[in-house]
Amino acid sequence: MNTGDRIALGVAVITAFGVIFAIYSSISESKRFRFAQSVELVLKMDDRFDSPLIQKVRTKAARSLLKKSTADLDDMLDFFETIGMLVRRGALDKEMAHEMFFPWIQGYYQAAHFYILSVRKNRSDIWEDLQYLYDETLKIEKQKCRCPDSILMLSETELKEFLVLEAKD
């Protein structure tokens, strides 16, 4: 191999390393950007969840459930449907959604499970992302607590306590 070939080979190797580094940097930057976007989105959803409007929705939904009614549940379930869609589409990290919302996802889903199933019997696409969100956040909770499914099912007393807290103005 002559000197010219060695130089060309050296340039090719250096170029290849440069391309690999650029790709790695681009991927890393993309991951950081997506993470930052997910953080911003979960914080916005948390602010919305605590807003006066959603507080009223939560209160109405909890009061309905305490009365064994389904009159005011749809808006609450729709809120979690939106979060579920964001998680399923990758816009919102599922661990972040779990960390911020799991007690409410669990409480409302389990308290309204009979209603969700009855609606989904006729239209399986309704609250499909809510179902996905519940399943995914439940998996995370199981991993965190290393406990059986039976522990994660709230008792009637626990559900009532949850709903009483949510029903307060």
Side-chain angles (χ1 to χ4, degrees):
M1 184 180 282
N2 65 35
T3 304
D5 291 341
R6 287 184 190 150
I7 291 173
L9 179 62
V11 169
V13 168
I14 290 170
T15 302
F17 278 122
V19 168
I20 291 169
F21 180 74
I23 291 170
Y24 173 78
S25 294
S26 178
I27 291 169
S28 294
E29 186 60 35
S30 176
K31 286 180 181 178
R32 280 192 295 274
F33 178 75
R34 286 187 65 189
F35 180 79
Q37 291 292 95
S38 193
V39 168
E40 186 177 330
L41 184 55
V42 79
L43 293 174
K44 283 182 181 179
M45 294 305 289
D46 185 51
D47 284 346
R48 185 168 175 224
F49 188 67
D50 291 332
S51 72
L53 174 64
I54 300 297
Q55 286 287 346
K56 286 179 186 174
V57 167
R58 291 166 60 184
T59 299
K60 284 181 176 182
R63 287 178 180 167
S64 287
L65 287 165
L66 284 167
K67 295 175 190 171
K68 306 290 187 211
S69 170
T70 60
D72 294 307
L73 289 180
D74 290 10
D75 289 341
M76 188 72 256
L77 299 176
D78 290 346
F79 178 83
F80 289 121
E81 173 77 359
T82 300
I83 292 176
M85 182 268 304
L86 293 169
V87 169
R88 184 181 52 76
R89 297 291 311 263
L92 181 58
D93 181 80
K94 65 179 127 187
E95 285 87 5
M96 287 183 199
H98 169 270
E99 203 57 42
M100 298 297 277
F101 300 109
F102 182 71
W104 296 277
I105 295 166
Q106 179 188 36
Y108 281 109
Y109 182 87
Q110 289 181 14
H113 189 242
F114 67 94
Y115 176 59
I116 294 167
L117 288 178
S118 70
V119 170
R120 293 198 72 214
K121 184 186 281 188
N122 298 323
R123 294 250 344 249
S124 63
D125 61 322
I126 302 287
W127 298 315
E128 187 173 37
D129 290 323
L130 167 60
Q131 182 69 55
Y132 173 81
L133 178 66
Y134 175 73
D135 293 342
E136 291 299 309
T137 56
L138 192 64
K139 285 179 199 172
I140 293 168
E141 190 67 17
K142 280 197 262 190
Q143 289 172 347
K144 287 180 91 171
C145 75
R146 295 186 175 101
C147 55
D149 290 355
S150 59
I151 297 292
L152 294 173
M153 293 307 295
L154 299 175
S155 69
E156 286 298 317
T157 302
E158 291 169 323
L159 279 174
K160 186 173 181 180
E161 288 171 359
F162 167 78
L163 293 171
V164 166
L165 285 172
E166 284 291 287
K168 290 184 180 178
D169 281 332

